[in-house]
Amino acid sequence: MALQSSISSSSSSSSSFSYAWEYDVFISFRGEDTRYGFTGNLYKALSDKGIHTFIDDEDLPRGDQITPSLFTAIQQSRTAIIVLSPNYASSSFCLDELVEILHCIKGNHRLVLPVFYEADPSDVRHQRNSFGEAMAMHEERFKNDLNKVHKWKQALNQVANLSGYHFKQGDGYEHKFIRNIVEVISRKIRRVPLFVARFPVGLDSLDSRVSEVISLLKMDSSDEVHMVGIHGVGGIGKTTLACAVYNLIADHFDGKEEVKIASLQQGASQIQRRLCQKKVLLILDDVDDHKQLHAIAGKPDWFGPGSRIIITKRDTHLLKCHGVENMHEVKGLNEEESFQLLIKHAFKNGYVSSPGYMDVLTRTVTYASGLPLALEVIGCHLCGKNVEEWESALNKFERHLDDKIHEILRVSFDALEKEEQSVFLDIACWFKGYTLVEVTDILQAHYGSCMKDHIGVLLEKSLIRISLYDLRVTMHNLIEDMGKEIDDPEKSPEMLGRRTRLWFYKDIVKVLEDNQGTSAIEIMYLEFPLFEQKRDEDSLKKKRNKDVEVKWDGKAFEDMQNLKTLIIKKWPQELSILKLPNNIHLSPKLDSLSKKLVTLKVLNFDYNDSLKEIADVSGLQTLEEFLFRGCKNLVTVHSSVSFLPKLKRLNAEHCNKLRTFPPAIKLPLLKDFSLSDCSSLEYFPEILEEMANVRWLDLKGTGIKELPCSFRNLSGLRNLEIIWNEMCKIPSVIFMMPQLSSCYIEGGGNKGRVSGMQEEVLQVQGILTHSPLKM
């Protein structure tokens, strides 16, 4: 854990952080009041101290508006001192200058220091006495532009609310007052900035990342202590962002102080004793232990009013436990920023030496997916290399993650418990892009009811993310690569059958052909590769036959006693997928396979265009989920599907050619059941016994003409959606369902058959007593 603070001694490292500031201090003042007195003496004292200060030359021509050169001087100044003398507000020039200072300097989180010289802060704040008289004069002068006057009033109120210095006659020696100001400014500008990055792309004061963190710090609140957490995946730039924020706002805090910590207990005591009256800015970088965090930043009252604590961490759990409510997740660089950072590292002069590099640059940016660490590592590695060397190196990176990148990304993985690691690897190898519900449902067969907790841990450690738009599980591409390398098939190619998960197409083929199946295998994800299009369709078909035909004798599954999940995707339409002995094919002859998979829990054939028939699956007595959504050529489902005692999920939606479905079903544990958009299906099966777990049923888009009386056995059904043929009667069984509270029926020409149903779209709701619907 690294500790960086405006009160620590750890900021001694050199920095390439480049300030775009020409001047250390910009002085704004009313010349007639203080040029030859206080302001002149302040300017000399600052200059004598070596502080580069801008003061408006008395010979500069004056007008109603400040000049472009003065605008530039304000923009290029690190801090500003505003000498608010009694006649300051009488000058429209000074007021315009003040508005610009508050916009350019304070608006970019730099220090603005007001000095109330012979003026009362409350007069400035509320525009009373000389300030009130001046504003009344301006209102008369600019009565056609009162918006300008309103901005001046706002600026005076804002500057009067800033922490500053107040001097009036009788307060002591003026030279001592000036010396105090100079010492404060000197301490702040002599502060050595923290190292941010060799090329701090996207980290200027206007960058959204920096601005968002500073907004969370609530810099305008001077009486409270605020803690902000910065989190994200390894290599995303958490420390870089924290240091950039530090360099921009550190001038607002008290000077440097050394705190030596010998132990956690002693450190906690020293911090409370020595810093409780100080306004400090503290950065705790990569804290990995709650005891450490509590010892250094246990409670807000350990620090003086106005203090700010920034904590960087890969996961959010520790931050939440410590009561950090305001958190910022660091996102990757956008495409433009990624190109900038890559080019700065890859080309010595910071620009692309030849247009021939554009393709490999684009490929690199796509591969890095916005991760600054990857762009830096690859850029440095390829600096000075020609295009061919770039292409060769990228081929290597895409096959094997760079060791430095892998090492940094793996830290979060190594911090997981064993079962959490396994869930992460499952997602990395297969389920990236699946919905959260799908991932949870499938992996519950392996991890039981702990899945929700496991997913939560992976989210906290930034290893996965959940899309807010469609609740899909996503992860950074390089984290996915890291996971696949941890579960790398190449580590033991001769012992593939002893792996828990099989996901690489050629490895599964080898296991099946060489009969390497063992009880270690728990999940198989068979996704056939897409093949390049050829002009000669015959040669394409021959190539596909050669590539995807799997010759085996069926024994590979006999020893897979613990196989729980089998997913098969992207079946070529020209072929059956697995060529079994005696021309037995997985599609449609699933029965031969099912006899081997006696412990299978999940079977997923979603969107398989070559599946035409679901054959006998009576051997799959442990099956809990059977999915064949979107199989557009599926015609028949074998009746054995209806008698699987542990089946909880049966989904056949969007199978528009499905005509033959089991005439009757007996699935006591079934919860999820859908036949929506099976437009060729004309009947609903008989329900042979009570099935109380089905709560929602979607039959929209089917060709079903009637519902059997046994439909009542779906006794727990609460929501029913159906499109009804206009020539058909709405079945009376709907009104006998004991739990049905919402029934959406679209179509129906028999108006009046149900009380209140007079529209083309009929809605029946509000059965709060769970009594049967009435005619």
Side-chain angles (χ1 to χ4, degrees):
M1 181 192 73
L3 170 65
Q4 301 283 7
S5 170
S6 61
I7 52 83
S8 76
S9 61
S10 58
S11 58
S12 59
S13 61
S14 62
S15 171
S16 63
F17 187 87
S18 176
Y19 294 106
W21 300 327
E22 179 70 21
Y23 302 100
D24 293 321
V25 178
F26 180 99
I27 303 180
S28 176
F29 65 101
R30 182 77 167 103
E32 294 177 4
D33 283 1
T34 63
R35 180 184 297 277
Y36 301 109
F38 175 79
T39 299
N41 292 329
L42 175 62
Y43 173 73
K44 184 179 186 305
L46 289 167
S47 299
D48 289 347
K49 195 73 170 178
I51 298 171
H52 192 199
T53 305
F54 179 92
I55 187 171
D56 195 1
D57 193 298
E58 62 178 322
D59 295 326
L60 283 176
R62 288 296 184 117
D64 287 337
Q65 296 181 343
I66 59 178
T67 62
S69 62
L70 203 58
F71 269 118
T72 302
I74 292 171
Q75 292 168 349
Q76 294 180 347
S77 294
R78 175 173 175 179
T79 62
I81 297 176
I82 302 172
V83 182
L84 292 154
S85 58
N87 293 315
Y88 183 91
S90 65
S91 168
S92 61
F93 192 94
C94 285
L95 293 172
D96 278 339
E97 196 171 74
L98 174 62
V99 170
E100 189 64 20
I101 287 170
L102 294 177
H103 173 70
C104 289
I105 297 182
K106 186 178 186 303
N108 284 302
H109 318 297
R110 305 200 292 270
L111 181 65
V112 174
L113 191 69
V115 175
F116 302 94
Y117 184 78
E118 300 289 356
D120 193 311
S122 65
D123 287 349
V124 179
R125 182 179 298 108
H126 301 294
Q127 287 102 61
R128 295 191 299 234
N129 295 325
S130 64
F131 286 85
E133 294 168 3
M135 298 317 295
M137 177 190 69
H138 292 315
E139 286 176 338
E140 178 62 27
R141 181 184 176 191
F142 297 101
K143 57 186 175 182
N144 294 324
D145 189 8
L146 291 178
N147 185 52
K148 177 193 288 286
V149 180
H150 178 66
K151 287 183 179 178
W152 290 342
K153 287 184 175 181
Q154 283 186 319
L156 288 170
N157 181 271
Q158 185 178 359
V159 74
N161 286 320
L162 299 177
S163 297
Y165 294 88
H166 186 199
F167 182 86
K168 62 181 184 296
Q169 291 298 328
D171 283 351
Y173 291 106
E174 189 173 285
H175 69 86
K176 290 184 177 180
F177 179 68
I178 290 174
R179 185 173 63 195
N180 289 338
I181 295 174
V182 172
E183 287 178 355
V184 169
I185 294 294
S186 179
R187 285 199 303 268
K188 293 182 183 297
I189 68 169
R190 296 293 178 241
R191 171 187 55 83
V192 178
L194 301 182
F195 177 81
V196 175
R198 182 182 172 195
F199 302 112
V201 172
L203 290 172
D204 59 60
S205 60
L206 298 178
D207 179 71
S208 60
R209 302 170 185 85
V210 173
S211 296
E212 183 173 341
V213 173
I214 292 177
S215 69
L216 292 174
L217 288 167
K218 302 177 183 177
M219 295 298 295
D220 290 334
S221 172
S222 60
D223 58 345
E224 296 181 12
V225 176
H226 292 288
M227 293 187 181
V228 170
I230 298 177
H231 64 97
V233 300
I236 201 68
K238 300 180 293 297
T239 302
T240 301
L241 175 58
C243 290
V245 170
Y246 174 98
N247 287 338
L248 282 169
I249 68 174
D251 289 346
H252 292 268
F253 298 87
D254 290 344
K256 183 189 299 182
E257 183 173 326
E258 185 171 329
V259 180
K260 295 182 179 180
I261 300 175
S263 66
L264 292 180
Q265 292 77 13
Q266 186 186 50
S269 176
Q270 284 194 55
I271 289 172
Q272 292 179 65
R273 185 178 69 255
R274 298 178 62 177
L275 303 182
C276 63
Q277 300 299 320
K278 300 254 182 212
K279 179 184 176 182
V280 301
L281 170 62
L282 182 67
I283 294 181
L284 302 175
D285 187 30
D286 198 22
V287 184
D288 56 6
D289 184 86
H290 187 266
K291 291 182 179 179
Q292 287 181 333
L293 179 57
H294 185 75
I296 297 173
K299 295 180 180 179
D301 61 11
W302 289 15
F303 308 96
S307 294
R308 299 294 183 267
I309 293 90
I310 300 174
I311 306 167
T312 73
K313 191 74 181 78
R314 293 192 181 208
D315 67 81
T316 60
H317 180 70
L318 184 62
L319 299 174
K320 292 175 183 176
C321 289
H322 197 63
V324 179
E325 296 180 355
N326 295 316
M327 288 188 277
H328 172 79
E329 181 182 6
V330 184
K331 305 292 178 60
L333 300 178
N334 61 34
E335 185 175 302
E336 180 181 352
E337 293 167 337
S338 296
F339 271 105
Q340 283 184 42
L341 186 59
L342 177 62
I343 290 168
K344 287 179 181 294
H345 282 288
F347 298 92
K348 294 179 179 178
N349 295 321
Y351 62 88
V352 182
S353 58
S354 167
Y357 281 96
M358 289 312 298
D359 285 344
V360 290
L361 284 171
T362 301
R363 184 178 164 192
T364 305
V365 166
T366 301
Y367 170 77
S369 300
L371 190 73
L373 171 67
L375 293 164
E376 178 181 346
V377 169
I378 296 173
C380 292
H381 179 79
L382 297 176
C383 185
K385 305 287 180 68
N386 60 38
V387 173
E388 290 74 20
E389 289 173 312
W390 271 67
E391 290 176 340
S392 176
L394 285 174
N395 290 336
K396 183 188 74 172
F397 283 133
E398 288 171 350
R399 284 197 311 270
H400 176 68
L401 199 61
D402 175 84
D403 289 344
K404 182 177 180 181
I405 300 173
H406 180 99
E407 179 182 351
I408 291 176
L409 293 179
R410 180 157 182 165
V411 171
S412 295
F413 173 83
D414 290 337
L416 298 172
E417 299 292 336
K418 184 176 181 180
E419 195 165 275
E420 295 163 354
Q421 290 181 341
S422 186
V423 173
F424 167 75
L425 294 176
D426 289 340
I427 296 173
C429 292
W430 298 305
F431 299 123
K432 176 185 174 183
Y434 277 58
T435 67
L436 179 60
V437 171
E438 289 173 328
V439 172
T440 302
D441 286 348
I442 292 172
L443 293 183
Q444 271 184 343
H446 301 258
Y447 307 105
S449 59
C450 298
M451 271 304 299
K452 184 176 181 179
D453 183 64
H454 294 334
I455 291 291
V457 171
L458 298 183
L459 283 169
E460 288 175 344
K461 294 192 178 297
S462 301
L463 287 169
I464 65 171
R465 298 183 65 192
I466 305 296
S467 166
L468 294 178
Y469 172 69
D470 54 9
L471 297 180
R472 293 190 179 275
V473 179
T474 64
M475 65 173 57
H476 193 281
N477 291 342
L478 297 184
I479 290 181
E480 177 186 3
D481 291 346
M482 181 266 292
K484 287 182 175 179
E485 286 196 3
I486 292 173
D487 198 63
D488 188 5
E490 295 180 1
K491 289 181 179 178
S492 55
E494 71 286 350
M495 302 295 287
L496 291 171
R498 299 197 177 186
R499 300 172 56 82
T500 301
R501 55 186 67 81
L502 290 175
W503 51 271
F504 188 52
Y505 158 69
K506 292 183 179 179
D507 297 318
I508 295 175
V509 170
K510 184 174 179 62
V511 168
L512 296 178
E513 289 188 335
D514 296 350
N515 294 326
Q516 291 189 24
T518 72
S519 59
I521 299 173
E522 294 185 6
I523 183 168
M524 286 176 56
Y525 189 101
L526 181 55
E527 181 171 2
F528 285 88
L530 297 175
F531 303 101
E532 296 181 0
Q533 292 291 333
K534 304 289 184 181
R535 289 183 180 180
D536 186 345
E537 291 298 327
D538 289 337
S539 66
L540 171 62
K541 188 170 182 178
K542 289 177 182 178
K543 181 179 187 302
R544 285 181 170 175
N545 272 278
K546 179 180 179 181
D547 285 343
V548 302
E549 184 177 287
V550 182
K551 298 179 180 178
W552 66 308
D553 59 11
K555 293 182 179 179
F557 283 104
E558 290 183 357
D559 294 324
M560 297 186 194
Q561 297 94 341
N562 292 315
L563 182 66
K564 296 182 178 71
T565 301
L566 172 63
I567 298 176
I568 303 176
K569 300 192 71 174
K570 293 183 181 178
W571 295 20
Q573 294 187 29
E574 296 87 345
L575 302 169
S576 297
I577 297 304
L578 301 177
K579 188 172 183 181
L580 308 182
N582 303 318
N583 291 324
I584 297 176
H585 301 279
L586 177 61
S587 172
K589 298 290 187 178
L590 187 60
D591 53 339
S592 295
L593 182 63
S594 70
K595 294 174 182 177
K596 312 293 184 182
L597 306 180
V598 294
T599 60
L600 193 67
K601 291 188 177 182
V602 179
L603 192 54
N604 186 325
F605 292 129
D606 283 351
Y607 307 103
N608 171 15
D609 292 344
S610 52
L611 187 66
K612 296 179 180 179
E613 177 183 350
I614 300 293
D616 187 355
V617 292
S618 57
L620 302 179
Q621 292 295 296
T622 60
L623 198 66
E624 295 180 4
E625 297 186 20
F626 197 4
L627 312 176
F628 40 92
R629 296 168 292 189
C631 296
K632 65 183 183 180
N633 292 310
L634 180 65
V635 175
T636 301
V637 175
H638 192 271
S639 60
S640 59
V641 173
S642 297
F643 300 96
L644 297 173
K646 296 188 178 181
L647 196 66
K648 297 178 182 178
R649 191 177 182 200
L650 178 60
N651 199 318
E653 61 190 26
H654 309 303
C655 297
N656 50 33
K657 290 186 179 180
L658 180 61
R659 294 193 301 271
T660 306
F661 194 79
I665 58 176
K666 181 182 177 182
L667 300 168
L669 300 183
L670 191 66
K671 292 182 179 180
D672 181 357
F673 183 31
S674 181
L675 296 170
S676 66
D677 292 319
C678 293
S679 55
S680 299
L681 190 63
E682 297 183 354
Y683 65 89
F684 189 84
E686 294 281 349
I687 311 298
L688 296 182
E689 64 177 28
E690 185 177 24
M691 291 167 48
N693 295 315
V694 178
R695 296 285 187 269
W696 176 84
L697 182 60
D698 187 355
L699 297 178
K700 296 195 307 295
T702 68
I704 294 173
K705 295 183 175 62
E706 60 180 346
L707 297 176
C709 292
S710 61
F711 189 81
R712 293 180 62 183
N713 283 331
L714 296 175
S715 57
L717 190 66
R718 293 180 179 272
N719 300 285
L720 173 65
E721 297 189 21
I722 190 168
I723 296 179
W724 211 248
N725 188 298
E726 235 179 84
M727 301 303 295
C728 299
K729 296 179 180 180
I730 296 173
S732 59
V733 69
I734 288 178
F735 306 99
M736 301 176 188
M737 303 298 292
Q739 300 286 334
L740 191 62
S741 60
S742 176
C743 180
Y744 179 84
I745 306 177
E746 183 177 336
N750 298 282
K751 300 177 181 178
R753 289 188 176 274
V754 179
S755 176
M757 294 187 178
Q758 303 296 324
E759 301 286 336
E760 279 286 305
V761 177
L762 308 175
Q763 182 79 26
V764 180
Q765 288 197 16
I767 313 302
L768 301 179
T769 60
H770 294 159
S771 59
L773 290 170
K774 302 297 183 184
M775 290 289 288

